[in-house]
Amino acid sequence: MSKFTAAEIRRQVERFLPKVLKPSRYLGSEWNAIKKDWDKTEVHMAFAFPDVYEVGMSHLGTRILYHLVNSYPEFLCERVFAPWVDMEETMREKEIPLYALESFQPLQEFDVVGFTLQYEMSFTNILNMLDLAGIPMRSEERGIDDPWIIAGGPCAFNPEPLVGFIDFFLLGESEEQLPEVLRLIAEQKANPLPRRDFLVRVAQVQGVYVPDFYHVSYKDDGRIESIRVEEGVPAVVEKAIVADLDQAFFPTNPVVPYLEIVHDRMMLEVMRGCSRGCRFCQAGMIYRPVRERSQETLLRQMEELVRSTGYDEVALTSLSSGDYSCIQPVIESILEKHGDDGVGVSLPSLRVDSFDVNLAESVQKTRKSGLTFAPEAGSQRLRDVINKGVTEENLLDAVETAFKKGWSTIKLYFMVGLPTETQEDIDGIVDLAKKVANLGTKMGRRNITVTISTSFFVPKAHTPFQWEPQESKASVDLKQRYLREKLRDRRFKYNYHDVKTSYLEAVFAKGDRRLAPLLEWAVKHGARFDGWGDQFREDIWMDAFKEFGIDPHFYANRVMDYDDILPWEHLGCGVTKQYLVSEHHRALHEAKTTDCRHDECSGCGICQARGVQIILKG
């Protein structure tokens, strides 16, 4: 039990809040925030986003699950985000525990704290938030009065570095799964079972992974020897899937922040999943199958969003919104209905091979901001390896059309360190950037700006490249310096990701549960906000690896064999291992795989294994 009441925390915080950066991060009194009666609800959940408020409030999943849980009269859900370093310092100095925004209740008082795992570099923030809340980091040290600590999101498909801290994980889509879990927690509160018996019950819910029941042994060379599964739980935990998006819960009264957040606008989720099959892309694998919302549903949700928020922009979100079967009619209908009121439409990005200038003009009627394209690789050979499915001709045709229609700012995204990459592929990035810029100059466009951004390839679980090593930091650093030198032109801006953080991301993306003690040590020695360049402390991590005698290259830079037991072998995303092996073979042979929405089935296994039909409603 916390020594502070909610009222005491509120009084303390109100005294020093004007002295911290962006105090409205910590108020919880925004428009559409939901404040329920604590005493009239059975289960109290804190939804925890392990990053700052502006990042967490921009995440669509946060919006969905917050309103989903609160739509049940018996449940209460409040939000909590990682306090920035100045706020944390003050809270620790005054011994104020981490609290939920809506009620100022300390996290320790909740029945369950649910973390979203969006990226590996937030893992330290999870442990730091538990510590700041006065909740023991390790599951084994928590008592009956401590909340259940659960987690879900993309990183739950390899959560092994967090084993020992999280009681159980939710794999897949939570609209039906999470309420079922909360009902079990309500029953556990009313009629408590021993911890183990409760965990056996919750493990029967589709997609719930309880690490306590899976025991890992290792070979002398560090590879996994076996994963032993106890009786009474699934041998492979298969993710939860929402079959019909029109029937799925979607909030049309989202919380409207006081301060500007990263994506400060309405969001409409037009579809889930992607069948393009890019071999580096984890989201493209774990969010299958493709499902669409109907036009009628989207337009109704849009009407309600405009009425409840007052925003003047809506983003049509998905992994590939341009692939939504009726994207143009939806955009036209939104603009026809709401355009005169100043409401605009935005798309997160546009695919080069399906670029439609009319579509681009529709979403940028008021002003022509930059267009963003992601060729990903500098040569056609390497684009075939990663199954990107776009050509140089696609890009130049799209750019030429854009220049003709008045655009002068183009952004190009590439990855460096992709499997089989050569110097010719790096030179291809420079050549492609120059061709784009020269095309604009030739067409008489003034003040051309071509922004080239490169990220460092990170191999991810459940992708065809999960067996691939990450290229060494030194090698990629040389490539980035080379690009920086070659792109010295006033028309170019070159941005690139820090190789040090991408290297650590690879360690945890392919890591196992032996990393858990190292993670805990790093947090206790000051690691937090590792995804923020000004906060990342490489020295802490290098000391941690030495302290535990762990070689980070074993995880990030080791070539893995097909017969190796992977740390996530017992977790299923619906795509079969045989398909991933086949796609890896095809990558090495530079063979493309077609999109199953427009061609024959690629045999990934998601429809057959789960009995889920791809539902197209556009």
Side-chain angles (χ1 to χ4, degrees), residues 345-365:
V345 178
S346 67
L347 293 172
S349 63
L350 297 166
R351 282 189 60 90
V352 175
D353 56 337
S354 59
F355 176 73
D356 184 332
V357 70
N358 295 321
L359 184 64
E361 285 193 306
S362 294
V363 301
Q364 296 195 13
K365 279 189 173 180

PDB file of all heavy atoms in Angstrom, residues 345-365:
ATOM      1  N   VAL A 345      -7.253  16.088 -44.690  1.00  0.00           N
ATOM      2  CA  VAL A 345      -6.936  14.673 -44.574  1.00  0.00           C
ATOM      3  C   VAL A 345      -5.442  14.486 -44.782  1.00  0.00           C
ATOM      4  O   VAL A 345      -4.828  15.170 -45.609  1.00  0.00           O
ATOM      5  CB  VAL A 345      -7.710  13.837 -45.623  1.00  0.00           C
ATOM      6  CG1 VAL A 345      -7.348  12.366 -45.527  1.00  0.00           C
ATOM      7  CG2 VAL A 345      -9.209  14.029 -45.460  1.00  0.00           C
ATOM      8  N   SER A 346      -4.847  13.578 -44.023  1.00  0.00           N
ATOM      9  CA  SER A 346      -3.434  13.259 -44.239  1.00  0.00           C
ATOM     10  C   SER A 346      -3.260  11.750 -44.291  1.00  0.00           C
ATOM     11  O   SER A 346      -4.038  10.993 -43.718  1.00  0.00           O
ATOM     12  CB  SER A 346      -2.555  13.847 -43.117  1.00  0.00           C
ATOM     13  OG  SER A 346      -2.819  13.200 -41.882  1.00  0.00           O
ATOM     14  N   LEU A 347      -2.239  11.331 -45.037  1.00  0.00           N
ATOM     15  CA  LEU A 347      -1.840   9.933 -45.100  1.00  0.00           C
ATOM     16  C   LEU A 347      -0.428   9.835 -44.539  1.00  0.00           C
ATOM     17  O   LEU A 347       0.427  10.683 -44.832  1.00  0.00           O
ATOM     18  CB  LEU A 347      -1.861   9.419 -46.541  1.00  0.00           C
ATOM     19  CG  LEU A 347      -3.230   9.327 -47.208  1.00  0.00           C
ATOM     20  CD1 LEU A 347      -3.075   8.995 -48.691  1.00  0.00           C
ATOM     21  CD2 LEU A 347      -4.077   8.269 -46.534  1.00  0.00           C
ATOM     22  N   PRO A 348      -0.134   8.807 -43.729  1.00  0.00           N
ATOM     23  CA  PRO A 348       1.191   8.697 -43.118  1.00  0.00           C
ATOM     24  C   PRO A 348       2.302   8.656 -44.158  1.00  0.00           C
ATOM     25  O   PRO A 348       3.342   9.252 -43.985  1.00  0.00           O
ATOM     26  CB  PRO A 348       1.112   7.382 -42.332  1.00  0.00           C
ATOM     27  CG  PRO A 348      -0.345   7.175 -42.078  1.00  0.00           C
ATOM     28  CD  PRO A 348      -1.050   7.735 -43.277  1.00  0.00           C
ATOM     29  N   SER A 349       2.110   7.928 -45.243  1.00  0.00           N
ATOM     30  CA  SER A 349       3.100   7.883 -46.315  1.00  0.00           C
ATOM     31  C   SER A 349       2.420   7.334 -47.558  1.00  0.00           C
ATOM     32  O   SER A 349       1.327   6.787 -47.502  1.00  0.00           O
ATOM     33  CB  SER A 349       4.296   6.998 -45.938  1.00  0.00           C
ATOM     34  OG  SER A 349       3.890   5.659 -45.755  1.00  0.00           O
ATOM     35  N   LEU A 350       3.077   7.516 -48.690  1.00  0.00           N
ATOM     36  CA  LEU A 350       2.524   7.062 -49.956  1.00  0.00           C
ATOM     37  C   LEU A 350       3.494   6.081 -50.603  1.00  0.00           C
ATOM     38  O   LEU A 350       4.697   6.332 -50.654  1.00  0.00           O
ATOM     39  CB  LEU A 350       2.305   8.262 -50.892  1.00  0.00           C
ATOM     40  CG  LEU A 350       1.296   9.302 -50.394  1.00  0.00           C
ATOM     41  CD1 LEU A 350       1.418  10.587 -51.211  1.00  0.00           C
ATOM     42  CD2 LEU A 350      -0.112   8.764 -50.488  1.00  0.00           C
ATOM     43  N   ARG A 351       2.985   4.954 -51.078  1.00  0.00           N
ATOM     44  CA  ARG A 351       3.849   3.970 -51.725  1.00  0.00           C
ATOM     45  C   ARG A 351       4.226   4.456 -53.119  1.00  0.00           C
ATOM     46  O   ARG A 351       3.390   4.961 -53.872  1.00  0.00           O
ATOM     47  CB  ARG A 351       3.158   2.612 -51.813  1.00  0.00           C
ATOM     48  CG  ARG A 351       3.162   1.842 -50.498  1.00  0.00           C
ATOM     49  CD  ARG A 351       2.670   0.431 -50.724  1.00  0.00           C
ATOM     50  NE  ARG A 351       3.510  -0.293 -51.670  1.00  0.00           N
ATOM     51  CZ  ARG A 351       4.575  -1.019 -51.315  1.00  0.00           C
ATOM     52  NH1 ARG A 351       4.933  -1.092 -50.056  1.00  0.00           N
ATOM     53  NH2 ARG A 351       5.288  -1.651 -52.231  1.00  0.00           N
ATOM     54  N   VAL A 352       5.497   4.264 -53.461  1.00  0.00           N
ATOM     55  CA  VAL A 352       6.005   4.732 -54.745  1.00  0.00           C
ATOM     56  C   VAL A 352       5.266   4.067 -55.896  1.00  0.00           C
ATOM     57  O   VAL A 352       4.892   4.711 -56.882  1.00  0.00           O
ATOM     58  CB  VAL A 352       7.517   4.444 -54.845  1.00  0.00           C
ATOM     59  CG1 VAL A 352       8.034   4.805 -56.229  1.00  0.00           C
ATOM     60  CG2 VAL A 352       8.279   5.213 -53.786  1.00  0.00           C
ATOM     61  N   ASP A 353       5.027   2.747 -55.788  1.00  0.00           N
ATOM     62  CA  ASP A 353       4.482   1.998 -56.919  1.00  0.00           C
ATOM     63  C   ASP A 353       2.982   2.184 -57.090  1.00  0.00           C
ATOM     64  O   ASP A 353       2.408   1.724 -58.078  1.00  0.00           O
ATOM     65  CB  ASP A 353       4.817   0.514 -56.801  1.00  0.00           C
ATOM     66  CG  ASP A 353       4.355  -0.096 -55.497  1.00  0.00           C
ATOM     67  OD1 ASP A 353       4.177   0.658 -54.529  1.00  0.00           O
ATOM     68  OD2 ASP A 353       4.178  -1.324 -55.421  1.00  0.00           O
ATOM     69  N   SER A 354       2.328   2.829 -56.118  1.00  0.00           N
ATOM     70  CA  SER A 354       0.888   3.078 -56.264  1.00  0.00           C
ATOM     71  C   SER A 354       0.578   4.566 -56.072  1.00  0.00           C
ATOM     72  O   SER A 354      -0.530   4.928 -55.723  1.00  0.00           O
ATOM     73  CB  SER A 354       0.103   2.234 -55.242  1.00  0.00           C
ATOM     74  OG  SER A 354       0.502   2.558 -53.919  1.00  0.00           O
ATOM     75  N   PHE A 355       1.572   5.417 -56.327  1.00  0.00           N
ATOM     76  CA  PHE A 355       1.390   6.854 -56.127  1.00  0.00           C
ATOM     77  C   PHE A 355       0.339   7.391 -57.090  1.00  0.00           C
ATOM     78  O   PHE A 355       0.363   7.129 -58.293  1.00  0.00           O
ATOM     79  CB  PHE A 355       2.718   7.578 -56.329  1.00  0.00           C
ATOM     80  CG  PHE A 355       2.595   9.076 -56.228  1.00  0.00           C
ATOM     81  CD1 PHE A 355       2.401   9.684 -54.997  1.00  0.00           C
ATOM     82  CD2 PHE A 355       2.656   9.874 -57.364  1.00  0.00           C
ATOM     83  CE1 PHE A 355       2.285  11.064 -54.890  1.00  0.00           C
ATOM     84  CE2 PHE A 355       2.550  11.248 -57.264  1.00  0.00           C
ATOM     85  CZ  PHE A 355       2.356  11.845 -56.028  1.00  0.00           C
ATOM     86  N   ASP A 356      -0.559   8.137 -56.539  1.00  0.00           N
ATOM     87  CA  ASP A 356      -1.634   8.753 -57.305  1.00  0.00           C
ATOM     88  C   ASP A 356      -1.600  10.245 -56.995  1.00  0.00           C
ATOM     89  O   ASP A 356      -1.905  10.658 -55.874  1.00  0.00           O
ATOM     90  CB  ASP A 356      -2.975   8.129 -56.907  1.00  0.00           C
ATOM     91  CG  ASP A 356      -4.140   8.651 -57.746  1.00  0.00           C
ATOM     92  OD1 ASP A 356      -4.055   9.800 -58.215  1.00  0.00           O
ATOM     93  OD2 ASP A 356      -5.125   7.914 -57.894  1.00  0.00           O
ATOM     94  N   VAL A 357      -1.238  11.049 -57.982  1.00  0.00           N
ATOM     95  CA  VAL A 357      -1.097  12.479 -57.733  1.00  0.00           C
ATOM     96  C   VAL A 357      -2.444  13.102 -57.362  1.00  0.00           C
ATOM     97  O   VAL A 357      -2.502  14.062 -56.583  1.00  0.00           O
ATOM     98  CB  VAL A 357      -0.480  13.193 -58.951  1.00  0.00           C
ATOM     99  CG1 VAL A 357      -1.448  13.228 -60.124  1.00  0.00           C
ATOM    100  CG2 VAL A 357      -0.026  14.599 -58.580  1.00  0.00           C
ATOM    101  N   ASN A 358      -3.532  12.562 -57.898  1.00  0.00           N
ATOM    102  CA  ASN A 358      -4.853  13.086 -57.523  1.00  0.00           C
ATOM    103  C   ASN A 358      -5.128  12.834 -56.046  1.00  0.00           C
ATOM    104  O   ASN A 358      -5.709  13.676 -55.351  1.00  0.00           O
ATOM    105  CB  ASN A 358      -5.928  12.435 -58.389  1.00  0.00           C
ATOM    106  CG  ASN A 358      -5.790  12.794 -59.846  1.00  0.00           C
ATOM    107  OD1 ASN A 358      -5.470  13.936 -60.182  1.00  0.00           O
ATOM    108  ND2 ASN A 358      -6.019  11.817 -60.723  1.00  0.00           N
ATOM    109  N   LEU A 359      -4.683  11.643 -55.578  1.00  0.00           N
ATOM    110  CA  LEU A 359      -4.825  11.329 -54.166  1.00  0.00           C
ATOM    111  C   LEU A 359      -3.986  12.287 -53.325  1.00  0.00           C
ATOM    112  O   LEU A 359      -4.440  12.826 -52.315  1.00  0.00           O
ATOM    113  CB  LEU A 359      -4.388   9.880 -53.908  1.00  0.00           C
ATOM    114  CG  LEU A 359      -4.551   9.322 -52.502  1.00  0.00           C
ATOM    115  CD1 LEU A 359      -6.017   9.264 -52.116  1.00  0.00           C
ATOM    116  CD2 LEU A 359      -3.926   7.928 -52.419  1.00  0.00           C
ATOM    117  N   ALA A 360      -2.754  12.508 -53.755  1.00  0.00           N
ATOM    118  CA  ALA A 360      -1.866  13.416 -53.019  1.00  0.00           C
ATOM    119  C   ALA A 360      -2.436  14.827 -52.981  1.00  0.00           C
ATOM    120  O   ALA A 360      -2.382  15.507 -51.956  1.00  0.00           O
ATOM    121  CB  ALA A 360      -0.478  13.418 -53.662  1.00  0.00           C
ATOM    122  N   GLU A 361      -2.992  15.278 -54.106  1.00  0.00           N
ATOM    123  CA  GLU A 361      -3.580  16.624 -54.142  1.00  0.00           C
ATOM    124  C   GLU A 361      -4.812  16.708 -53.249  1.00  0.00           C
ATOM    125  O   GLU A 361      -5.055  17.740 -52.616  1.00  0.00           O
ATOM    126  CB  GLU A 361      -3.939  17.004 -55.580  1.00  0.00           C
ATOM    127  CG  GLU A 361      -2.730  17.360 -56.425  1.00  0.00           C
ATOM    128  CD  GLU A 361      -3.133  18.023 -57.721  1.00  0.00           C
ATOM    129  OE1 GLU A 361      -3.955  17.448 -58.450  1.00  0.00           O
ATOM    130  OE2 GLU A 361      -2.632  19.127 -57.998  1.00  0.00           O
ATOM    131  N   SER A 362      -5.560  15.626 -53.177  1.00  0.00           N
ATOM    132  CA  SER A 362      -6.753  15.625 -52.329  1.00  0.00           C
ATOM    133  C   SER A 362      -6.397  15.857 -50.872  1.00  0.00           C
ATOM    134  O   SER A 362      -7.097  16.581 -50.152  1.00  0.00           O
ATOM    135  CB  SER A 362      -7.494  14.289 -52.462  1.00  0.00           C
ATOM    136  OG  SER A 362      -8.013  14.116 -53.755  1.00  0.00           O
ATOM    137  N   VAL A 363      -5.299  15.240 -50.425  1.00  0.00           N
ATOM    138  CA  VAL A 363      -4.947  15.346 -49.012  1.00  0.00           C
ATOM    139  C   VAL A 363      -4.086  16.568 -48.723  1.00  0.00           C
ATOM    140  O   VAL A 363      -3.770  16.842 -47.570  1.00  0.00           O
ATOM    141  CB  VAL A 363      -4.236  14.069 -48.522  1.00  0.00           C
ATOM    142  CG1 VAL A 363      -5.122  12.864 -48.710  1.00  0.00           C
ATOM    143  CG2 VAL A 363      -2.891  13.861 -49.214  1.00  0.00           C
ATOM    144  N   GLN A 364      -3.664  17.295 -49.773  1.00  0.00           N
ATOM    145  CA  GLN A 364      -2.857  18.487 -49.536  1.00  0.00           C
ATOM    146  C   GLN A 364      -3.427  19.676 -50.298  1.00  0.00           C
ATOM    147  O   GLN A 364      -2.720  20.414 -50.976  1.00  0.00           O
ATOM    148  CB  GLN A 364      -1.399  18.227 -49.943  1.00  0.00           C
ATOM    149  CG  GLN A 364      -0.732  17.156 -49.113  1.00  0.00           C
ATOM    150  CD  GLN A 364       0.776  17.147 -49.270  1.00  0.00           C
ATOM    151  OE1 GLN A 364       1.380  18.076 -49.814  1.00  0.00           O
ATOM    152  NE2 GLN A 364       1.410  16.102 -48.786  1.00  0.00           N
ATOM    153  N   LYS A 365      -4.744  19.858 -50.173  1.00  0.00           N
ATOM    154  CA  LYS A 365      -5.398  20.927 -50.917  1.00  0.00           C
ATOM    155  C   LYS A 365      -5.000  22.307 -50.416  1.00  0.00           C
ATOM    156  O   LYS A 365      -4.880  23.257 -51.186  1.00  0.00           O
ATOM    157  CB  LYS A 365      -6.923  20.761 -50.835  1.00  0.00           C
ATOM    158  CG  LYS A 365      -7.467  19.743 -51.821  1.00  0.00           C
ATOM    159  CD  LYS A 365      -8.985  19.768 -51.869  1.00  0.00           C
ATOM    160  CE  LYS A 365      -9.492  18.873 -52.992  1.00  0.00           C
ATOM    161  NZ  LYS A 365     -10.962  18.870 -53.088  1.00  0.00           N
TER     162      LYS A 365
END
